[in-house]
Amino acid sequence: AAGARRKQQDPEAAMFLGGAVTPTGVVVRLKTPDDATLTVETTQGSAEIKLADLAGGASRRYLDGKISARRVPAYAPLVVGPREEDFPAAVTDGKGGAWVTYVSHVARGPVAAEAYKEKPDSFKSLVPEGGGDQVELVRHDADGGIPKAPVPITGRGRDVWRPAIITDAQGKVVVVWSELKDGNWDLFTATYDPNTATVAEPKRLTTDAGADTEPVLASAQGKVIVAWQAWRNGQADIFVAPLDEPSQAINVSNHPANEWSPALASGPSGVYLAFDSYRNGNYDVFITRLPERGGASPELIALADSTKFEARPHVAVDLQGRAWVAYEERDDNWGKDFGKLDGAVQGKGNSLYHSSAVRVRVLDGARVLETADPVASLSDPDEQKFNSLPRLAVDRAGRPWLLYRHRQEFIFGLAPVMFAGGAWVEYATALVGNAWTPPQPLPRSDGLIDNRPGLVARPDGGLLAYYSTDGRLHHQVESRPELAIKYSTHLGTPPWALNNELFVASLDAPRNAAEARPLGPPARSEPAPPAHANEAADVARVRAHRIEAGGKTYRLLRGEFHRHTDISFDGGGDGSLEDLWRYALDAGRLDWIGNGDHDNGGGREYTWWLTQKTTDLYHTPPAFVPMFTYERSVQYPGGHRNVMFPYRGVRILPRLVDEKGVKTDVKGVDEDAQLLYAYLNELGGICAAHTTATGMGTDWRAHDPKVEPIVEIYQGMRDSYEHLGAPRVARSPTEAAGGWKPLGMIWNALALQYRLGFQSSSDHVSTHMSYAVALAENSTRESIFEAFQKRHCYAATDNIVLDVRSGDHLMGDEFESEGPVALKVFAQGTGPIKRVDIIKDFLYVYSTEPAKDRVSFTWTDNETRTVPVSWYYVRVVQEDGEIAWGSPIWVRRPSQPVP
């Protein structure tokens, strides 16, 4: 109830709050008859739980609803230890067990902030050499014994992504993975022969420029088939080929839009390939039955093609040859305008993780059929929401099983969340008749959203599920100040260390169950109108604009570097790491982006590694150029700052704080900020303060113009911080999101003669209404970084073109001038422009109201300048309220010292 009230009263709370209570419980292993009774004694009373009442799988409540009990599958550890084990894929071993492949990562361990305070040159230790991955293989025996030692498929120190596994006609285990080699992500394969216990030398399957990733495998007529996502010329398609003839690959999707998430399955009716595509301006799921060798090009069937987000399909084929496809469904206008507007959280679109549901459809011949809602039997409303990443399997009896991720816990301010982050747990259900059994949670499956179990049918009709967990709910974390301080000042693994390990759960087949049946043809949903009907043309106009100045040509590259995922402790409403890349590439149509997760995941090396790795994986220049970034959060007056590097490999810098907060010397100097500036100077990075007039902001006590050249003037999640009374700036403490610290207004920094260019970004939840536009010479990481380093940038809430020059000088430049200063201004909006302001030294010195979407003029400042330096910037406001802020230009009087 308190949470519900906060949601009504506080727009920011609506972005963060999850359920009303936090679940606390235990898993009890019992060797008793099914008719036994379990007595639970608590300080509030006792409850008698008859195990027979739980046989159906549904949860039941006792002690006036204070206790909830349910049966869960038996489970056991598969691979545990000091390494990070993740991304399992499994295939039957033909003997009731399974072969499981996965990625093993070795971390380097924590580093304390104090280690750098006196020795700036030691920052170089934050640039580790090489990678840290290895593809491994382990056998899980049918007798349930402890698995034998893993078999290395690759050497250590690799850079790999998501392996796939299958057995070939000779009984050999085939593993395929994506690996960064010679600057390119390509597919590799190796086989393991169980008879000789040997691993063949890995073979490279692809060599084309562009990332080849997300491999999936199936077999047909004794041949292994591989499908994958192939990035070519800045755009992704789904390719398929015989594993032994990769040069015979065909482009199955063959469309200018991006295609994602290939899924393969074979059965009596052939091999089926499913994927999702952005070809209709939103994600839709397609499926095709692959032709036999030499056949015609496959025909695509739209399995789910409404205006909703329908993506990440997984496919399984039953004994009748029907293809069952599970996929994830989210809101219409996914990733379009959403954030804080007029004091409320709203928009023309929806955020990335505003809702999430799992759906299952069936392709029976040429018919597409619907199935029941998989979570309809759950009585808890919270368990029916935020369900993602579905996986399908068909057991030996031909019964479909569905597994999915559920957001189990995300209550901002709760100790486990604040230290480890929101938690997702795997649930499993089977289709009996036309209804799904009550979903059961898989013990020790807690972790991030994007966790995709490997599924293998058991000989007795059940299922084996192999999954990773980092134990974020398993560990007991106390909210004590000394732990918070220790966590803030160290990098890597704190005492409650999260570590990915592999577990296996055994799912029992429903007894005397009716044959699985779909319901019938799916109903067509009412299409939602697009949030931006002219967006393609608006983006094209921005990308086509060129600025000729000083003998150089600049282009406008739209992006941001303050966007979170579930890797952040407070990212339970932001979606997965893959969601960030999908948003940037498709819904946002961005030219670049940087991940803004807090310390790339609390300073953990593993989540930093995942972020760095995917930043390289989706690097498809010149179409899309992601940057290496993270958020470093220090409360007011130190200030949150977003860090950017133009190259991969720099570890996160820990904070320098004590029990009172940011460390300061006797003169009040912010020692933590000075440490950050030294780190950036040494390693060639920059940073930008954000939400500067909030509790996350700063009073501007620290600044280094070389490494802090820009500031976040506006944020879609909260407000603008230009100056009191400016557009989208909070008008009172009660209206401000994130706290009220007016000393942090950006005009105060300008009063201190700080040189700061302007950019805007999203932070949490908000989408499609905060852009940092770089004036770059080329679409490269180096050019984007240099643009922000030189303050050649502007902030915008929409796809607005803004071009401000003074002679050959761009926005952000500083120069000397004897005579009058002339500003040449060009702006083109996405709608009629209401007002253009030129602001000089805190005064509105010129305004025009063009009432049209295009304006071009030259304004000359004829005032005699008496101060050593003056600054000017341009702000454009459209009639619909969309804004662009140009970075200031600083003009010095000749022979005047720089303040």
Side-chain angles (χ1 to χ4, degrees):
R5 286 194 295 271
R6 271 197 70 199
K7 290 182 183 180
Q8 294 175 352
Q9 298 168 0
D10 183 356
E12 190 169 349
M15 298 179 178
F16 279 119
L17 289 177
V21 297
T22 175
T24 302
V26 293
V27 176
V28 181
R29 298 173 184 262
L30 299 173
K31 291 184 178 181
T32 60
D34 286 346
D35 60 355
T37 298
L38 178 68
T39 301
V40 178
E41 297 181 355
T42 78
T43 56
Q44 299 186 52
S46 299
E48 302 291 327
I49 300 174
K50 296 181 178 180
L51 299 187
D53 293 343
L54 306 179
S59 64
R60 291 181 177 271
R61 290 190 174 272
Y62 303 85
L63 196 61
D64 298 325
K66 296 184 178 70
I67 294 176
S68 175
R70 74 199 321 165
R71 294 282 288 268
V72 297
Y75 73 104
L78 183 72
V79 183
V80 298
R83 297 190 190 181
E84 304 273 1
E85 284 86 20
D86 208 350
F87 306 112
V91 66
T92 179
D93 65 357
K95 300 176 182 179
W99 292 102
V100 183
T101 188
Y102 57 96
V103 177
S104 178
H105 176 78
V106 179
R108 298 178 69 221
V111 182
E114 288 81 357
Y116 305 109
K117 185 177 178 183
E118 304 299 333
K119 299 179 180 179
D121 58 342
S122 64
F123 286 124
K124 292 178 181 178
S125 68
L126 288 174
V127 189
E129 296 182 0
D133 296 338
Q134 182 174 30
V135 179
E136 295 193 312
L137 177 72
V138 68
R139 185 183 176 196
H140 177 224
D141 293 326
D143 61 10
I146 297 175
K148 296 179 181 178
V151 176
I153 299 298
T154 70
R156 293 188 180 185
R158 305 297 180 93
D159 212 351
V160 303
W161 189 245
R162 291 196 192 282
I165 191 171
I166 200 169
T167 52
D168 64 15
Q170 289 75 43
K172 294 180 180 179
V173 182
V174 179
V175 180
V176 178
W177 66 94
S178 181
E179 182 173 344
L180 182 62
K181 196 80 168 178
D182 304 324
N184 199 55
W185 286 90
D186 284 310
L187 297 186
F188 290 78
T189 185
T191 59
Y192 173 75
D193 189 339
N195 296 319
T196 61
T198 57
V199 178
E201 186 69 22
K203 297 179 181 178
R204 192 170 192 161
L205 298 175
T206 59
T207 57
D208 295 274
D212 293 285
T213 184
E214 309 293 341
V216 288
L217 301 170
S219 59
Q221 301 176 338
K223 289 279 190 179
V224 175
I225 306 297
V226 59
W228 71 96
Q229 183 187 43
W231 290 87
R232 301 289 182 265
N233 300 315
Q235 177 256 320
D237 279 304
I238 305 302
F239 281 31
V240 64
L243 187 66
D244 58 357
E245 298 181 84
S247 62
Q248 302 301 311
I250 61 171
N251 185 339
V252 178
S253 54
N254 197 25
H255 192 277
N258 288 326
E259 273 80 31
W260 300 77
S261 297
L264 272 179
S266 60
S269 54
V271 179
Y272 289 86
L273 170 65
F275 59 89
D276 68 75
S277 172
Y278 206 75
R279 64 186 61 192
N280 296 320
N282 57 81
Y283 291 115
D284 294 321
V285 174
F286 293 86
I287 188 170
T288 184
R289 187 169 72 88
L290 297 180
E292 295 182 3
R293 198 174 185 88
S297 296
E299 178 186 358
L300 297 181
I301 298 172
L303 193 94
D305 62 346
S306 74
T307 53
K308 294 180 180 295
F309 171 108
E310 293 148 326
R312 299 192 181 96
H314 198 246
V315 61
V317 182
D318 66 15
L319 301 179
Q320 302 174 42
R322 298 177 296 185
W324 296 75
V325 182
Y327 61 93
E328 189 172 346
E329 178 184 279
R330 299 188 189 175
D331 299 301
D332 289 305
N333 282 311
W334 179 88
K336 301 303 181 182
D337 291 14
F338 192 84
K340 185 190 175 191
L341 290 169
D342 299 324
V345 179
Q346 58 184 336
K348 293 181 285 188
N350 280 290
S351 62
L352 305 189
Y353 204 58
H354 190 251
S355 71
S356 185
V358 291
R359 308 293 184 207
V360 179
R361 289 185 176 175
V362 183
L363 182 65
D364 186 358
R367 297 186 304 158
V368 175
L369 305 174
E370 187 71 273
T371 69
D373 182 352
V375 299
S377 64
L378 295 171
S379 58
D380 186 344
D382 284 335
E383 289 189 340
Q384 296 183 348
K385 300 182 293 185
F386 295 107
N387 298 315
S388 310
L389 271 296
R391 308 291 284 176
L392 272 177
V394 172
D395 64 22
R396 297 292 178 88
R399 182 172 313 286
W401 288 79
L402 172 70
L403 279 78
Y404 62 88
R405 301 291 286 172
H406 169 67
R407 194 179 76 179
Q408 191 74 32
E409 185 168 312
F410 179 58
I411 307 174
F412 193 73
L414 198 70
V417 171
M418 299 303 288
F419 286 105
W424 283 258
V425 169
E426 198 76 22
Y427 278 69
T429 176
L431 190 61
V432 174
N434 58 15
W436 296 91
T437 59
Q440 294 180 295
L442 273 57
R444 290 302 306 271
S445 61
D446 45 323
L448 297 171
I449 302 174
D450 198 342
N451 193 314
R452 311 181 189 192
L455 306 178
V456 171
R458 280 172 26 190
D460 60 359
L463 208 67
L464 294 171
Y466 300 90
Y467 49 91
S468 67
T469 172
D470 63 15
R472 59 186 55 205
L473 288 182
H474 179 72
H475 294 290
Q476 297 297 315
V477 180
E478 297 181 6
S479 181
R480 300 202 307 267
E482 62 269 26
L483 288 183
I485 294 299
K486 194 168 186 179
Y487 176 74
S488 298
T489 58
H490 287 76
L491 178 72
T493 53
W496 52 88
L498 303 180
N499 187 67
N500 276 274
E501 299 172 329
L502 299 185
F503 277 71
V504 56
S506 182
L507 305 171
D508 293 328
R511 298 177 181 178
N512 304 316
E515 180 182 327
R517 300 191 309 273
L519 297 176
R524 297 294 298 181
S525 60
E526 191 69 25
H532 294 269
N534 301 317
E535 184 172 17
D538 293 339
V539 172
R541 182 173 57 249
V542 176
R543 288 176 172 169
H545 188 78
R546 294 293 183 270
I547 298 174
E548 304 284 347
K552 298 180 179 179
T553 301
Y554 301 87
R555 62 188 67 191
L556 308 181
L557 300 180
R558 302 156 45 258
E560 61 163 316
F561 65 111
H562 187 189
R563 151 138 251 108
H564 289 273
T565 76
D566 63 328
I567 287 176
S568 284
F569 74 93
D570 51 356
D574 291 311
S576 66
L577 192 57
E578 184 182 285
D579 287 329
L580 177 147
W581 303 116
R582 283 179 177 257
Y583 164 72
L585 284 153
D586 293 327
R589 298 172 184 257
L590 302 182
D591 303 303
W592 68 277
I593 199 171
N595 173 283
D597 282 324
H598 297 285
D599 302 310
N600 284 158
R604 292 182 60 212
E605 181 178 338
Y606 183 60
T607 47
W608 166 81
W609 179 253
L610 294 179
T611 304
Q612 293 264 309
K613 181 158 45 181
T614 56
T615 302
D616 254 356
L617 191 68
Y618 296 109
H619 184 217
T620 56
F624 182 65
V625 184
M627 303 295 288
F628 298 103
T629 56
Y630 69 91
E631 178 179 341
R632 189 170 181 276
S633 303
V634 177
Q635 294 300 93
Y636 184 90
H640 288 212
R641 287 176 170 89
N642 291 90
V643 173
M644 176 188 288
F645 288 96
Y647 63 97
R648 179 178 175 179
V650 180
R651 288 273 300 272
I652 310 304
L653 178 70
R655 297 165 191 70
L656 193 64
V657 297
D658 56 24
E659 65 278 0
K660 297 179 181 179
V662 177
K663 285 188 177 181
T664 57
D665 63 15
V666 293
K667 296 181 179 180
V669 174
D670 183 342
E671 294 185 30
D672 181 75
Q674 302 308 316
L675 183 73
L676 173 64
Y677 297 151
Y679 158 84
L680 296 173
N681 274 293
E682 171 100 17
L683 299 177
I686 58 173
C687 70
H690 75 74
T691 53
T692 53
T694 71
M696 297 161 285
T698 177
D699 60 4
W700 303 111
R701 65 178 58 195
H703 180 61
D704 183 327
K706 180 180 177 182
V707 296
E708 195 168 23
I710 52 177
V711 64
E712 186 182 275
I713 193 172
Y714 170 74
Q715 180 189 106
M717 181 183 169
R718 296 185 177 91
D719 301 297
S720 172
Y721 304 97
E722 185 180 0
H723 68 84
L724 293 174
R728 299 203 189 189
V729 172
R731 291 164 291 188
S732 67
T734 56
E735 186 182 279
W740 178 257
K741 301 289 185 181
L743 278 179
M745 291 294 170
I746 291 170
W747 272 21
N748 291 335
L750 295 176
L752 292 169
Q753 297 297 328
Y754 292 173
R755 273 55 163 176
L756 292 168
F758 298 157
Q759 60 93 10
S760 59
S761 294
S762 298
D763 202 349
H764 293 282
V765 179
S766 177
T767 50
H768 210 262
M769 49 192 289
S770 304
Y771 300 103
V773 185
L775 280 58
E777 292 184 65
N778 299 291
S779 297
T780 64
R781 284 172 171 157
E782 294 75 17
S783 289
I784 292 171
F785 183 85
E786 183 182 31
F788 288 113
Q789 197 174 37
K790 293 182 175 180
R791 305 182 296 267
H792 291 168
C793 55
Y794 66 91
T797 67
D798 204 351
N799 294 308
I800 300 171
V801 174
L802 181 58
D803 181 351
V804 180
R805 288 176 253 177
S806 182
D808 283 336
H809 299 287
L810 307 179
M811 291 179 282
D813 280 344
E814 180 175 357
F815 59 94
E816 289 186 353
S817 176
E818 292 186 1
V821 176
L823 298 183
K824 183 179 180 181
V825 179
F826 172 83
Q828 185 162 5
T830 58
I833 295 172
K834 179 181 180 180
R835 183 183 175 97
V836 179
D837 294 314
I838 297 179
I839 300 161
K840 173 195 175 184
D841 298 342
F842 311 109
L843 298 175
Y844 286 72
V845 294
Y846 177 80
S847 297
T848 181
E849 299 180 355
K852 55 184 179 180
D853 62 6
R854 182 184 176 101
V855 61
S856 180
F857 64 89
T858 298
W859 173 81
T860 301
D861 181 9
N862 290 308
E863 181 182 30
T864 301
R865 286 180 289 121
T866 58
V867 296
V869 61
S870 287
W871 47 263
Y872 307 78
Y873 71 89
V874 174
R875 185 178 64 215
V876 176
V877 181
Q878 295 186 165
E879 290 182 359
D880 60 6
E882 304 296 350
I883 307 174
W885 296 263
S887 289
I889 290 173
W890 287 264
V891 183
R892 298 192 308 274
R893 291 167 52 196
S895 304
Q896 292 293 321
V898 178

